[in-house]
Each structure stands twice: as structure tokens, then as C-alpha cells.
Amino acid sequence: MEDDDFIESGDTVRLKIGGPLMTVLAVNRDGCCCMWFSDRGSFEHGTFEHEVLDLVKRAVRLVS
């Protein structure tokens, strides 16, 4: 992760090895608690070390 890619609660992340998009629920020094939905639609959650996650940057569209 680059220096400007700080993960915060509410961010969307993905494991560096791939997998589903996950929403960050909480961040602490031990890792990031994330939630996601499996391919079967079941709710899943887990805690991952910061180093194994990539921040998913999303484009923001402004509506006038």
C-alpha cells in the first residue's frame, strides 16, 4: 500500500490476492475488521492485517 492509501472505517478494500470487495467496519493496530457477502449471498466477516489489503479507490461523480 502506498503512503497516501490509509484505510479507514467505511472504505472498500480487497485482498491483494483477489476475492470479493469488502467494507471496513473498524481499524486498529492489529488489522482491519471487514464484512462482505459470499458468492452464495451469506454475510461474512473477518479481520485482516493491513499489509494484505488494497484500498479500492472509487470515482466520485458530482451531480449538479
Side-chain angles (χ1 to χ4, degrees):
M1 207 167 15
E2 296 177 20
D3 289 340
D4 61 341
D5 290 341
F6 295 105
I7 297 175
E8 299 176 325
S9 181
D11 283 345
T12 301
V13 295
R14 179 176 289 178
L15 290 172
K16 288 184 178 183
I17 61 171
L21 293 177
M22 302 183 289
T23 301
V24 177
L25 300 175
V27 179
N28 60 43
R29 62 181 166 83
D30 297 325
C32 298
C33 179
C34 303
M35 61 83 54
W36 67 96
F37 288 95
S38 72
D39 292 339
R40 296 178 305 238
S42 63
F43 174 77
E44 305 286 342
H45 63 89
T47 301
F48 303 92
E49 294 179 7
H50 302 271
E51 294 80 16
V52 302
L53 298 173
D54 277 332
L55 180 63
V56 177
K57 295 184 179 182
R58 297 186 179 251
V60 175
R61 184 176 76 181
L62 300 176
V63 178
S64 56

